[in-house]
Amino acid sequence: MSITFVLGFRALFANEMGLAITLLVASVVFAVSQRLQVRVPTKEARTTSISLLISCLMILTLLLIITGGKDNTGPLWIYLVPPVTMFFAGFVRGLLALIAYTVVCALIMFTYNDMLLLTQYSYAFKTRLLYSFLTVSFLSAFYEFSRQKSYDTALYLKEQFERQAKHDHLTQLLNRRGGQEYLEHEYARFLRNKQPFAIAIADIDRFKNINDTLGHEHGDEVLRQISKAFLSKLRSEDILARWGGEEFLFILVGANEENAVKALEKIRNCLNTNPLVINGEKLEVTSSFGVCEVNQGMTLSHAVKQADKALYHAKDTGRNKVCSASSLT
């Protein structure tokens, strides 16, 4: 925008009115494109801005080819087109735009008797201009392709690292960190919408005995199968996380304490009636649950502590049961 504006004023002072008007109009279009992208942060506005920028640049350079510009140096500005087009339009769209632009340039320069040109170029100049432009276009396309692949790889690695940081490698559930983030997210929504939700903590009964009897490898398989059993009975909007060791955290969205207890009773009964199959042998595994509904005025840490107290009450009073925080008082 700035360079075009300065060159437009220079042509104006040199009394080259046609070139001056062309350059000044182009600088205004570039300015509109820049303002559109800055002021309107939407995908449609960005697409419009980029299309306006690239189209204006291509039309401007084609006019410089046709008229010759200052002392027939106008065609030299076409080398701006490949890097700008690739940078803003991306590899695929940029490549298609450059192919179309190259075809138009060739048609203008090599039309019979130069009937589309307002100036004269030698055949050697035109061919070398086109060949060098194709070389710059290829290098720009190769650079943009490499840059895009590097960006995609970095983005993929970033997503993988984030997933590893928030997920448990054994069960593929959210880990404590990921579960805590979802807790805070749901709690923030509760404060906005006053929509209730319940927290539950589950613990596999006598899991230490399972590890001591079957070994840690089979103990890990128990954790994997238990997590799948829990997930199979939850709604799509509910969240399950491995809270630590053999403990699991449930976030039951939109459920009050009564509904949460009913849902967890179904899970408990499912475990009771469907033994796990470990190393080809059936193994009866039970779980205890502590539930707390998040109420108005209750902090998130307090709700987790109440669910934890309810869990320990369930284990202290016989295990294999669902205990609500309200029943403790």
Side-chain angles (χ1 to χ4, degrees):
M1 178 185 66
S2 302
I3 292 174
T4 310
F5 185 76
V6 170
L7 292 177
F9 261 94
R10 182 179 178 182
L12 184 64
F13 291 139
N15 205 28
E16 297 173 340
M17 298 305 297
L19 180 59
I21 293 173
T22 301
L23 292 172
L24 291 175
V25 169
S27 68
V28 172
V29 175
F30 291 148
V32 170
S33 172
Q34 192 264 352
R35 287 289 88 191
L36 180 62
Q37 187 167 161
V38 171
R39 294 292 181 86
V40 187
T42 63
K43 183 178 180 181
E44 292 75 15
R46 175 174 170 78
T47 301
T48 303
S49 171
I50 291 173
S51 300
L52 191 63
L53 169 68
I54 294 175
S55 299
C56 180
L57 180 61
M58 288 183 172
I59 293 172
L60 175 61
T61 52
L62 289 174
L63 289 175
L64 290 173
I65 292 175
I66 293 172
T67 61
K70 179 69 173 178
D71 298 329
N72 267 11
T73 59
L76 298 178
W77 291 100
I78 68 173
Y79 298 114
L80 286 175
V81 174
V84 171
T85 302
M86 282 293 173
F87 180 80
F88 284 102
F91 176 72
V92 176
R93 293 180 181 177
L95 187 61
L96 293 175
L98 284 178
I99 291 174
Y101 179 80
T102 303
V103 172
V104 174
C105 285
L107 290 175
I108 291 174
M109 290 191 295
F110 293 99
T111 304
Y112 180 71
N113 284 337
D114 293 337
M115 58 185 300
L116 296 179
L117 294 173
L118 301 179
T119 186
Q120 295 292 322
Y121 304 112
S122 67
Y123 180 79
F125 174 82
K126 290 189 288 187
T127 54
R128 282 160 176 75
L129 179 71
L130 193 60
Y131 293 154
S132 58
F133 176 78
L134 289 172
T135 302
V136 173
S137 297
F138 170 78
L139 293 175
S140 298
F142 180 76
Y143 171 79
E144 179 59 25
F145 177 78
S146 301
R147 188 189 68 83
Q148 190 168 313
K149 291 292 289 185
S150 298
Y151 175 78
D152 292 341
T153 301
L155 187 62
Y156 172 77
L157 291 175
K158 175 178 176 291
E159 292 173 349
Q160 291 300 307
F161 289 146
E162 287 183 351
R163 176 174 176 80
Q164 290 176 9
K166 297 179 183 179
H167 286 75
D168 174 54
H169 72 281
L170 179 65
T171 61
Q172 302 306 311
L173 299 175
L174 291 170
N175 58 18
R176 192 181 187 96
R177 176 183 174 184
Q180 184 67 37
E181 286 189 7
Y182 268 96
L183 266 179
E184 293 172 357
H185 171 76
E186 193 60 33
Y187 186 71
R189 185 166 65 172
F190 163 73
L191 294 178
R192 291 193 307 268
N193 304 332
K194 303 299 185 291
Q195 182 183 15
F197 75 99
I199 297 171
I201 299 178
D203 184 89
I204 301 176
D205 296 330
R206 298 184 176 87
F207 184 72
K208 185 178 183 302
N209 293 341
I210 296 175
N211 268 338
D212 293 342
T213 305
L214 301 179
H216 289 281
E217 182 178 347
H218 290 148
D220 289 345
E221 180 61 25
V222 169
L223 289 173
R224 280 191 287 264
Q225 292 194 29
I226 284 285
S227 64
K228 291 179 181 178
F230 286 166
L231 277 176
S232 67
K233 297 301 179 180
L234 290 178
R235 301 168 301 172
S236 59
E237 62 266 31
D238 294 331
I239 302 298
L240 177 65
R242 187 180 177 191
W243 200 233
E246 65 271 22
E247 287 190 345
F248 294 84
L249 173 74
F250 294 79
I251 304 174
L252 304 170
V253 180
N256 56 26
E257 185 179 87
E258 181 182 358
N259 293 333
V261 169
K262 290 180 180 179
L264 294 171
E265 282 289 357
K266 290 181 180 179
I267 295 176
R268 189 183 67 84
N269 290 327
C270 177
L271 288 179
N272 290 342
T273 56
N274 295 280
L276 305 182
V277 179
I278 306 297
N279 197 26
E281 297 182 1
K282 291 185 178 181
L283 176 66
E284 293 184 359
V285 179
T286 63
S287 183
S288 302
F289 302 83
V291 188
C292 178
E293 178 185 342
V294 180
N295 298 316
Q296 190 69 26
M298 180 185 292
T299 65
L300 191 58
S301 61
H302 180 69
V304 173
K305 288 178 181 178
Q306 289 298 103
D308 203 43
K309 286 182 180 180
L311 168 65
Y312 278 96
H313 183 73
K315 295 183 76 68
D316 290 340
T317 55
R319 298 186 178 88
N320 190 21
K321 62 174 63 177
V322 179
C323 180
S324 63
S326 63
S327 66
L328 302 179
T329 57

